[in-house]
Amino acid sequence: MSSHDVIAVAERARAASHGLALATRAQKDAALHAMADSLLAHEAEILAANAEDVDRAEAGGTSPNIVDRLRLTPERLAGMADGLRDVAGLPDPVGEVVRGSTLANGLELRQVRVPFGVVGMIYEARPNVTADAAGICLKSGNAVLLRGSSSARSSNAAIVAALRSAVEDAGLEPDVVQLVPGDSHDSVKALMRARGHVDVLIPRGGAGLIRSVVEESTVPVIETGVGNCHVYVDRAADLDKALAIVLNAKTHRTSVCNAAESLLVHADVAEAFVPRVVAALQDAGVTIHGDAAFQAHDGVLAATDEDYATEYLSLDISAAVVPDLDAAIAHIRRFSSQHTEAIVTEDLTASRRFTAAVDSAAVLVNASTRFTDGGEFGFGAEIGISTQKLHARGPMGLPEMTSTKYVVTGDGHVR
Amino acid sequence: MSSHDVIAVAERARAASHGLALATRAQKDAALHAMADSLLAHEAEILAANAEDVDRAEAGGTSPNIVDRLRLTPERLAGMADGLRDVAGLPDPVGEVVRGSTLANGLELRQVRVPFGVVGMIYEARPNVTADAAGICLKSGNAVLLRGSSSARSSNAAIVAALRSAVEDAGLEPDVVQLVPGDSHDSVKALMRARGHVDVLIPRGGAGLIRSVVEESTVPVIETGVGNCHVYVDRAADLDKALAIVLNAKTHRTSVCNAAESLLVHADVAEAFVPRVVAALQDAGVTIHGDAAFQAHDGVLAATDEDYATEYLSLDISAAVVPDLDAAIAHIRRFSSQHTEAIVTEDLTASRRFTAAVDSAAVLVNASTRFTDGGEFGFGAEIGISTQKLHARGPMGLPEMTSTKYVVTGDGHVR
């Protein structure tokens, strides 16, 4: 697939996006329910296509962990359909008046949410992202170009075919949902260079994918997901709460970006807390990469700077004792990916200082890092978690999938 | 200046930004007043430095128009000082709670405005941008790296020296305002590649500068300013209002991005309106580049597609008669830079259709395109007008110079 082909696909999306931008909420919700119905109606084809992908992956020696992410089941397909119906139930962000006033000269000013236009999604293995992204983009009035991984190509093609026929049956242009074909990196590259044709690119996947999109794209990018998240246990922490939060943040689910990867403990509570947390983490199967204070305990490995900078996504955690709150803040500034950091403390001044000085998408007090999530925040749907500062930061729901424009109404006003 | 040097400057800005992010409004406003005082106290040095730049420009054969933009006078310097005091009078965007709720589980969620951190400004001739940008960035809690044009280097150095001494006297780190030295394009390039060190880049200047920053930068960019703005005179227009709006939009000030560059007239009113508007524009010294209907009038030149795509920034306008509203929308979709478009109509349905279908930063009804401006919109200060869809669109005031973070407070919450 050449760059010319990708631009042709994007231009069809652009043309289709004009109608979608003007569609009413009722039309879009009807399309979302039709998309859900269609996924279930095409269950046999989709699962058969998925079986091809799974067979190919297994034959190629892909790790069971990745194969599991790739695999669809009737339950997982039903979950994708439910997800689309959930999006139909959410408020329409398009048309929301963000700000409005009447100016001194009588001009009426309104800042209104509008779709971006054409959104490109570049993502890895999980085929459920195909339906999720299509649903969120459709509801927010955006045409979407989906570039999934080649390992899921048969699944994605079958899912997109089912979604497109439903979109068309619902009276919208099917080209608002399109797959970017081509297995090679060339089509990803063409998408990243399609400035003017694609309004925003959202990469979802591993750190390598995200870094390459961020560095090579001339299309504006929303960076998602890498989370080297810290839990800092303050001198004024309730140590029972701290223990529960550290265990939950590290072990509740290890492969996600809001899992804790690093533990910092104030020196004043190290003697009381470090033995307890080491024992509890080791009981839960966690390998600790610690500083000298942690290494005093059996089984703790020596941490390097690389450990402190690592998003393990596994049952590993780096750990250090810090002399005070400001040292914890300095450590976080040095090593954090600015996704989520938590402080455990009963001290209001310490909590104010930490939440003000730590510059991450989410800063939590006495709560597990696992709460940084669109679902937990009550957004109803999430396209990803932004770790950049422009446009959207933290979990992105439907409003984050829009831009705005100013509509200004006068009566012959001139300057 | 090597890339290493630019990163060193950015890292000093980063270190200084931590304190600035935590500064109170009172501290920042005191610094802004001190900066204003210091500009006036250093009037002699600044004007002497400016005279060097002006002499160099004149000796190099720079056009009088550009030399005038470069020139500072006691009045212009007083205007810069007043601008800083105006910014001091505006509300502090940092700390504003954008959204907040208590979740079902009792977690308190707040989305709070925070500074970006380090902002890079790349801009052309006018030395007043140096003080304006420093003031807006300081008030919004951002350290700023200023890369003005080499033609203003002496002026910018003198202005920044005056501002930095005031910032320091006011008890803030002077490194929150820094010049990126180096006259060559290398320092611009290094700034564009300083991802991770600079949080956002804002280019202000001609289309060439902006295009090169947008295409080459790995640092997130806010694109500003190119305006190929349209006025569409609908069949239901009040033609007196239409005439006043077209004249104002084209001739009130020609060198600005919100000036009209293209006129579209509905066929049903062409006979009544085209002769009037041609005469009035020509009386005002405007050269019209028109289609066949306009060319029927003396002195109208033939328009090419390139004319319709051009931001003249001069007493020129492209013009065409369109068969209907949808043809006007299609023309705008093809040629507009999505800055500002205006419709003149008394027909509510036409105005609803135009404002919904035209995807520009500002869409005006019965008002001159010249109103797309931070000052006119009541923002009090403006760092530029964004023509991109990510983050900020249209005139950018202080809130647009911030990001947000989520602060989440619990009592030992785990999932």
Side-chain angles (χ1 to χ4, degrees):
Chain A
M1 160 141 291
S2 74
S3 129
H4 185 77
D5 296 329
V6 168
I7 286 172
V9 167
E11 284 307 291
R12 286 204 300 278
R14 172 75 65 203
S17 77
H18 294 145
L20 181 60
L22 300 175
T24 62
R25 172 172 177 178
Q27 289 173 297
K28 293 188 287 189
D29 290 352
L32 288 162
H33 283 291
M35 289 157 75
D37 293 341
S38 184
L39 284 184
L40 300 179
H42 292 86
E43 179 183 300
E45 295 97 305
I46 294 169
L47 294 185
N50 182 250
E52 286 173 29
D53 289 333
V54 167
D55 288 351
R56 202 183 328 106
E58 284 176 336
T62 305
S63 77
N65 190 16
I66 304 285
V67 172
D68 180 60
R69 288 186 180 207
L70 184 57
R71 182 176 284 119
L72 290 177
T73 62
E75 293 67 36
R76 288 183 177 184
L77 202 62
M80 288 160 61
D82 288 345
L84 291 165
R85 295 191 208 283
D86 287 346
V87 171
L90 294 172
D92 189 344
V94 176
E96 186 197 343
V97 177
V98 177
R99 153 158 78 172
S101 63
T102 301
L103 303 179
N105 58 10
L107 276 179
E108 291 169 57
L109 180 74
R110 284 182 298 140
Q111 187 183 21
V112 185
R113 285 202 187 282
V114 296
F116 286 127
V118 179
V119 173
M121 290 284 305
I122 301 175
Y123 54 102
E124 289 175 338
R126 300 173 190 265
N128 63 307
V129 173
T130 305
D132 289 356
I136 289 174
C137 287
L138 187 130
K139 181 74 181 234
S140 54
N142 294 297
V144 66
L145 301 180
L146 297 157
R147 177 53 167 84
S149 74
S150 56
S151 64
R153 60 175 174 261
S154 302
S155 314
N156 288 338
I159 292 166
V160 167
L163 297 176
R164 282 171 59 94
S165 73
V167 168
E168 189 160 24
D169 290 348
L172 296 174
E173 290 276 350
D175 282 345
V176 298
V177 179
Q178 292 183 78
L179 217 51
V180 177
D183 285 345
S184 75
H185 189 67
D186 287 356
S187 65
V188 175
K189 204 148 198 159
L191 204 50
M192 296 192 298
R193 295 277 149 185
R195 191 178 178 95
H197 303 283
V198 177
D199 295 297
V200 55
L201 267 189
I202 304 178
R204 275 184 65 173
L209 168 73
I210 292 166
R211 195 178 325 109
S212 97
V213 174
V214 154
E215 282 176 7
E216 292 177 40
S217 181
T218 58
V219 175
V221 173
I222 299 181
E223 188 176 353
T224 62
V226 174
N228 180 17
C229 304
H230 294 72
V231 177
Y232 164 62
V233 178
D234 187 47
R235 65 180 297 197
D238 175 320
L239 297 183
D240 294 333
K241 292 179 191 169
L243 194 67
I245 287 169
V246 171
L247 275 176
N248 183 262
K250 179 67 258 179
T251 67
H252 181 253
R253 205 164 149 203
T254 55
S255 64
V256 289
C257 60
N258 60 14
E261 307 291 6
S262 198
L263 167 66
L264 302 173
V265 178
H266 191 292
D268 289 1
V269 291
E271 199 178 313
F273 188 66
V274 170
R276 283 180 70 188
V277 77
V278 166
L281 284 168
Q282 290 180 338
D283 278 354
V286 177
T287 301
I288 303 169
H289 307 257
D291 67 353
F294 277 87
Q295 287 171 52
H297 297 268
D298 282 349
V300 173
L301 305 179
T304 61
D305 275 0
E306 203 189 318
D307 282 300
Y308 291 119
T310 295
E311 184 191 27
Y312 292 111
L313 298 174
S314 61
L315 282 172
D316 291 82
I317 194 167
S318 64
V321 170
V322 291
D324 55 27
L325 172 59
D326 280 347
I329 292 168
H331 180 105
I332 288 168
R333 278 189 184 142
R334 180 167 173 207
F335 292 109
S336 167
S337 63
Q338 299 183 285
H339 184 299
T340 297
E341 330 298 336
I343 182 174
V344 186
T345 190
E346 300 296 312
D347 177 342
L348 183 58
T349 299
S351 112
R352 276 170 55 92
R353 166 94 188 137
F354 188 85
T355 56
V358 170
D359 185 23
S360 297
V363 187
L364 296 96
V365 181
N366 294 335
S368 168
T369 56
R370 290 279 293 123
F371 284 106
T372 302
D373 174 89
E376 293 295 324
F377 279 10
F379 297 172
E382 180 188 286
I383 194 92
I385 297 179
S386 164
T387 49
Q388 72 179 30
K389 293 183 185 175
L390 269 196
H391 185 71
R393 199 175 188 206
M396 292 188 290
L398 290 172
E400 284 72 27
M401 293 300 289
T402 63
S403 182
T404 58
K405 71 180 168 197
Y406 286 98
V407 176
V408 185
T409 306
D411 189 32
H413 283 66
V414 294
R415 283 178 71 179
Chain B
M1 161 140 291
S2 73
S3 127
H4 185 78
D5 295 330
V6 168
I7 286 172
V9 167
E11 284 307 292
R12 286 204 300 277
R14 172 76 64 202
S17 77
H18 294 145
L20 182 60
L22 300 175
T24 61
R25 172 174 177 177
Q27 289 174 297
K28 292 188 287 190
D29 290 352
L32 288 162
H33 283 290
M35 289 157 75
D37 293 342
S38 183
L39 285 184
L40 302 179
H42 293 85
E43 180 183 300
E45 295 96 304
I46 293 170
L47 294 184
N50 181 251
E52 287 174 27
D53 289 333
V54 167
D55 289 349
R56 201 181 329 106
E58 284 176 335
T62 304
S63 77
N65 190 16
I66 304 286
V67 172
D68 180 60
R69 289 187 180 207
L70 183 58
R71 182 175 285 116
L72 291 176
T73 62
E75 293 68 37
R76 288 182 177 184
L77 201 62
M80 288 160 61
D82 288 345
L84 290 167
R85 296 190 207 282
D86 287 346
V87 171
L90 294 172
D92 189 343
V94 175
E96 186 197 343
V97 178
V98 177
R99 155 157 77 170
S101 64
T102 301
L103 304 178
N105 58 10
L107 276 179
E108 290 169 57
L109 181 72
R110 283 182 298 141
Q111 186 182 21
V112 184
R113 285 201 188 283
V114 296
F116 287 127
V118 179
V119 173
M121 291 284 306
I122 301 175
Y123 55 101
E124 289 174 339
R126 299 173 190 266
N128 63 307
V129 174
T130 305
D132 289 356
I136 289 175
C137 287
L138 187 129
K139 180 75 180 230
S140 53
N142 294 296
V144 65
L145 302 180
L146 298 156
R147 177 53 167 86
S149 74
S150 56
S151 64
R153 62 175 174 261
S154 301
S155 313
N156 288 339
I159 292 166
V160 167
L163 297 177
R164 283 171 58 93
S165 73
V167 169
E168 188 160 24
D169 288 348
L172 296 174
E173 289 276 350
D175 282 345
V176 298
V177 180
Q178 292 182 79
L179 217 52
V180 177
D183 284 347
S184 75
H185 188 67
D186 288 354
S187 66
V188 175
K189 204 147 199 163
L191 205 50
M192 295 192 297
R193 296 275 149 187
R195 191 177 177 95
H197 303 283
V198 177
D199 294 297
V200 54
L201 267 189
I202 304 177
R204 275 184 67 173
L209 168 73
I210 291 167
R211 195 179 324 111
S212 97
V213 174
V214 155
E215 282 176 9
E216 292 176 41
S217 181
T218 58
V219 175
V221 173
I222 299 181
E223 189 176 353
T224 63
V226 175
N228 180 16
C229 303
H230 294 72
V231 177
Y232 163 63
V233 178
D234 188 47
R235 63 181 298 199
D238 176 320
L239 298 183
D240 294 333
K241 291 179 192 170
L243 195 68
I245 287 170
V246 171
L247 276 175
N248 182 263
K250 179 67 257 178
T251 68
H252 181 253
R253 204 165 149 204
T254 55
S255 64
V256 290
C257 59
N258 60 14
E261 306 291 4
S262 198
L263 167 65
L264 302 173
V265 178
H266 192 291
D268 289 1
V269 292
E271 201 178 312
F273 188 66
V274 170
R276 284 181 69 189
V277 77
V278 166
L281 284 168
Q282 289 179 340
D283 278 355
V286 176
T287 302
I288 303 169
H289 308 256
D291 66 355
F294 277 87
Q295 287 171 52
H297 297 269
D298 283 349
V300 173
L301 306 178
T304 61
D305 275 359
E306 203 189 319
D307 281 301
Y308 291 119
T310 295
E311 184 190 27
Y312 294 111
L313 299 175
S314 61
L315 282 172
D316 291 82
I317 194 167
S318 63
V321 170
V322 291
D324 56 27
L325 172 59
D326 280 348
I329 292 168
H331 180 104
I332 288 168
R333 276 190 184 140
R334 180 166 173 209
F335 292 108
S336 166
S337 64
Q338 299 184 284
H339 185 298
T340 297
E341 330 298 336
I343 182 174
V344 187
T345 190
E346 300 297 311
D347 177 341
L348 183 57
T349 299
S351 112
R352 276 169 55 90
R353 166 96 188 135
F354 188 86
T355 56
V358 170
D359 186 24
S360 296
V363 186
L364 295 96
V365 181
N366 294 335
S368 168
T369 56
R370 290 279 292 124
F371 284 106
T372 302
D373 174 87
E376 293 295 324
F377 280 9
F379 297 172
E382 179 188 286
I383 193 91
I385 296 179
S386 164
T387 50
Q388 72 179 31
K389 293 183 183 174
L390 270 196
H391 185 70
R393 201 174 186 205
M396 292 188 288
L398 290 172
E400 284 72 27
M401 293 300 288
T402 63
S403 183
T404 59
K405 71 180 169 197
Y406 287 98
V407 176
V408 185
T409 307
D411 189 31
H413 284 66
V414 295
R415 284 178 70 179

